[in-house]
Structure formats: C-alpha cells, structure tokens
Amino acid sequence: MEDTVKLIFEGKTYELPIVTGSEGEKAIDISNLRPMTGLITLDPGYANTGSCTSSITFMDGEKGILRYRGIPVEQLAEHSSFLETVYLLINGRLPTKAELNNMSVLFNDNSLVHEDMQIFYQNFPRASHPMGILSSMVNALRSFYPELQTLEEEINITVTRLLSKVRTMAAMSYKISRGHKVVYPRPDLKYCANFLNMMFDTPVKPYRIDEDLVRALDVFWILHADHEQNCSTSAVRLVGSGRVNLYAAISAGIAALWGPLHGGANQAVIEMLSDIQKDGGNYRRAIERAKDKKDPFRLMGFGHRVYKAYDPRARIMKKMCDKVLFKLKINDPLLDIAKELEEAALKDDYFTEYNLYPNIDFYSGIVLRAMGIPTNMFTVMFAIGRLPGWIAQWKESLDDPKWKLGRPRQIYIGPTQTDYIPIDQR
Ligand code: SDX
C-alpha cells in the first residue's frame, strides 16, 4: 500500500507522506511542502484540506454516517442523554453513574450567572439578536471569572461554567427581551428541564415539566453536539490556537455559527417555509428559484459540504417532528410544506445530481417551534448543543503536539511594486 505520493515540479521529483486514518481516510501530509518545493496549496473554503487529525467525531458523507467517539449518533439519540454525550465527547468515553451524577451536581452548582451581568442584558436594544447577545456575554464571562492558577483547574472549571451557564444566559436573554422577570435555575431540575423551566416559567403560570419535551430537547442537543471540522468548530480551533482564553474562542464559534449558511440555517428554513406558506404553499416555485443560477435563493436546510447523502441527524429530527407535534396535539402547516418540499426536491434531477439532501436544519426548526422556542433563538439552541463539541475540539488541539498558531498563506494577485505619488500630483 503506497504511503507516499510523488510530486514532479520544475523537473524535480518530491515524495510526500500519506496519512491514513482509523477509518481508511487518506491525506497527503504537506507540512513540509513549502520548505521542500517553495510551493503552497490553494483551496478556497478548505473543501479538500484537512486542518488536523482528530479522535472525536467521524463522518462518512457518502454513506451518511456520524459517530461520536465511535458510537453511532442513532444509538446515542436512542439510549443516551445530552449530559452523557457531553461527557463522552469531552472525556473520550462514556461516564460511570457516579461520574455522570458528579457532573450533574457540578452543573447545578455553577448554573447561576453573576447578577451584574443582568445589567449588560438590560442595555442591549430589545430587538437585539440573541446570537449577538450570547457571543458578547460568553466573552464577558472572562471579566467575571479571571484566570485560575493551574491550567488543569482553569480548563475544568471553565468548561463546567460554560456548559452550565450557557443555558441560563440563553434563557435570560429571552426573558429580558420580553420584559419578563428572569427565572433562576432550580437545583431539583436536570439540565434540559432546567432550561425549559427558565425559559417558560412565569409568576402567573408556573411551567409544567413535560418529560416528552425534555426528552425531545435531550435528543435535539445530542444531534447537534459535534460535527468534526465545520465552520464554527474551525473558528474555535483557529482562535484558540492563539492561546486566548476559552471564553473568547467559544465566543468566536458562536459568531461563526450565526451565519445562514451554517447554524443560522435553522432560522432561515422556518422563514423560507413561512414565505412559501404566504405564497399559497407554492413550494414548487421555491424549487425553481433554488435551481435558477441567476437567483441567489437557495433551498435552506438542503445541501451540505460533507454529506452527499441524507444527513442522519435530519432523519431522526424528522421523526421527532411527528412525535412532538402528536404529543402536543399541534398541526403545523409548515411541517406539511417541509415534507412536500422534500419529496418534490428529492425527485428533481437538480437536487439528485448535486447530491442535495435535507440537513439537520431542515426539520429542527419545526421541533423548536412546537416547543415554543422563538425563531430568533433557534441558532442559540444549536449553539448550546454544539458547545460540548467546540470544547472537546479545543481541548484536543491543546493536547496535540503538532498544533500551532493557525496562519494560512495566500497567493497574491494584486499590483506589483508601484511608487507613492504625492497628493498634489494625482
Ligand atoms: C450546517 O459543516 C457542517 O458540518 C455544518 C453543520 C454542522 O453540524 O456543523 O452540518 C451545520 O451548517 C448545515 C448546513 C446549513 N446550511 C444550509 O442549509 C444553507 C443552504 N445550503 C447551501 O448554502 C449549501 O448547501 C452549503 C453552504 C451548506 C454547502 O455548500 P457547498 O459545499 O459550499 O457547496 P456549493 O455551495 O459549492 O454547492 C455546490 C452546488 C452549487 O451549484 P454550482 O454553483 O456548482 O452550479 O450545489 C448548489 C450550488 O449552487 N447548491 C444549492 C444548494 N446547496 C448547494 N442549490 C440550491 N439550494 C441549495 N441549498
């Protein structure tokens, strides 16, 4: 089996090593390409470029496979909890009962947010987007929790604080945006139930915990927990490579996730389905627009850089739509439109030729709507789910002896040397 490739350039032959992963994936290691040949590679969007080796998540885009630390996401969605999946991603194995219980207690002990932070929330304009608020507030956490003595202590406490407080911060921005009293986390509620209670409990109508909804949120966050080197995870790794504190690196990840081509797609899908509904349910017009190269419109929630098959998470999310809507006795016309749109698109040559299938964002908004989550908080929900993945990937980069400051090169195509012209001669 070849473990090198040959490159012939300007009459010279160079040998470059091949790296083979545990699932047989292969890469050309170009770590020494420039010193050896003077060449760099060029790959806009990094579609053909690996940034690291990783043991956290495996995806096979052609087969629609997704595994966290080797465990298929379908099994985790069926049998695990979000907290157990958090432990798996960050520590590399499933926890014992005692370890899981200890993590749950730590999260409860660290779920409060410094009262002074509420003043920050109060001063954001009411119409501020919750993703902008979350990114700012996560960055602000460093000001309230300065660096600890040892790196290990710093990492463990910061990770706990982030994972626990992110729920409280998200719910706070929702309550304050509505001018409602902030609801504090309760020590008697577990992770997901606590979040729903902080979101929807009110002095006039106490929130009734619905175990089916709690389970749906558990699964929702399991499905979002990691996805190897996507845009926002790469942002966390790149910003983290400068050895800035974790709060700042995660804040960068939240900002990267916000975009409609990435995590912001779940909000864009609901807006698209609502527009189709206003257009008399004419989903065929949306399909024609998506195919028209002169029209910038894209079918939101469809297509993926890696998956060229059905996103396994979308399959689970679609089933969850039926389950949650049935349980809540909700008939959401947007779900019917989504299903008709999917069926028509998957029969259309354009989508099959480009291997465009529903991704996780296509159905996730329907579930969140049914839970009562406002549309502008959908990507915040994605961010809470992805936080353990960002943290696991950041920690892995710290432990990687090959990891160094991220600094890509470029090919310059601007003007060659020109002289300065004094202003009175221009
Ligand atoms: C997430 O990376 C991750 O893992 C991300 C994520 C995660 O968990 O972290 O999975 C979460 O971000 C999912 C993706 C959510 N975004 C959307 O649903 C937005 C709609 N999707 C597209 O914008 C697009 O599919 C991307 C951005 C997701 C991927 O695009 P690529 O890989 O850059 O592919 P491309 O844009 O080069 O598309 C190839 C062709 C193009 O046609 P040509 O210009 O070559 O003729 O397919 C077309 C595109 O126009 N195409 C679409 C389309 N997606 C791609 N045409 C219509 N509708 C679409 N949705």
Side-chain angles (χ1 to χ4, degrees), residues 90-111:
I90 293 177
N91 298 290
R93 64 174 173 79
L94 289 167
T96 61
K97 248 193 209 139
E99 288 165 333
L100 188 59
N101 189 45
N102 180 45
M103 183 164 76
S104 188
V105 169
L106 272 175
F107 280 10
N108 265 346
D109 293 349
N110 287 276
S111 54

Side-chain angles (χ1 to χ4, degrees), residues 33-307:
L33 180 68
R34 194 165 185 279
M36 236 164 54
T37 68
L39 292 166
I40 64 166
T41 58
L42 196 56
D43 185 19
Y46 309 115
N48 307 285
T49 297
S51 63
C52 61
T53 56
S54 177
S55 314
I56 299 170
T57 292
F58 172 69
M59 290 169 65
D60 181 320
E62 279 62 40
K63 296 181 188 144
I65 291 173
L66 174 60
R67 301 185 199 131
Y68 297 159
R69 301 287 187 181
I71 303 177
V73 73
E74 294 85 351
Q75 291 184 26
L76 291 166
E78 179 75 27
H79 306 296
S80 186
S81 68
F82 179 57
L83 240 50
E84 191 177 64
T85 302
V86 166
Y87 191 101
L88 170 71
L89 284 167
I90 293 177
N91 298 290
R93 64 174 173 79
L94 289 167
T96 61
K97 248 193 209 139
E99 288 165 333
L100 188 59
N101 189 45
N102 180 45
M103 183 164 76
S104 188
V105 169
L106 272 175
F107 280 10
N108 265 346
D109 293 349
N110 287 276
S111 54
L112 283 172
V113 168
H114 198 293
E115 285 293 313
D116 290 357
M117 292 193 94
Q118 286 207 34
I119 302 162
F120 296 176
Y121 281 95
Q122 300 292 356
N123 288 296
F124 277 103
R126 281 285 176 266
S128 303
H129 195 287
M131 282 296 276
I133 295 174
L134 186 65
S135 179
S136 313
M137 301 311 273
V138 163
N139 220 343
L141 282 173
R142 170 89 297 168
S143 312
F144 288 88
Y145 303 103
E147 200 114 15
L148 295 167
Q149 294 314 313
T150 67
L151 180 63
E152 194 191 344
E153 191 191 22
E154 161 71 8
I155 290 177
N156 292 338
I157 293 281
T158 304
V159 165
T160 304
R161 279 187 181 130
L162 267 167
L163 286 163
S164 181
K165 293 180 194 314
V166 71
R167 296 168 293 171
T168 315
M169 296 167 82
M172 269 171 77
S173 73
Y174 173 62
K175 285 294 196 189
I176 291 172
S177 72
R178 304 193 65 195
H180 289 182
K181 207 167 150 349
V182 166
V183 174
Y184 286 83
R186 281 175 30 185
D188 62 316
L189 294 179
K190 291 214 177 299
Y191 197 88
C192 295
N194 232 329
F195 172 76
L196 290 171
N197 189 62
M198 287 190 276
M199 283 287 289
F200 301 119
D201 188 46
T202 67
V204 290
K205 190 174 174 239
Y207 180 66
R208 191 181 57 77
I209 304 288
D210 177 330
E211 286 310 327
D212 289 334
L213 280 195
V214 171
R215 180 61 196 151
L217 185 54
D218 231 355
V219 174
F220 180 93
W221 276 337
I222 288 171
L223 295 177
H224 285 82
D226 193 54
H227 219 230
E228 54 133 286
Q229 306 312 315
N230 58 83
C231 172
S232 52
T233 298
S234 300
V236 170
R237 277 181 171 258
L238 187 62
V239 169
S241 73
R243 298 300 187 265
V244 74
N245 66 79
L246 178 57
Y247 299 114
I250 296 298
S251 173
I254 295 168
L257 186 72
W258 193 356
L261 292 189
H262 188 19
N266 55 16
Q267 175 175 340
V269 167
I270 291 297
E271 288 160 356
M272 173 185 75
L273 295 174
S274 304
D275 289 345
I276 293 171
Q277 185 187 30
K278 285 182 207 123
D279 186 26
N282 188 347
Y283 57 85
R284 292 201 181 282
R285 192 199 315 271
I287 287 179
E288 290 317 308
R289 285 193 60 199
K291 293 160 63 175
D292 178 358
K293 290 304 166 196
K294 290 189 290 302
D295 190 331
F297 175 81
R298 285 200 166 171
L299 213 51
M300 300 315 277
F302 254 73
H304 198 275
R305 175 63 56 79
V306 176
Y307 288 127

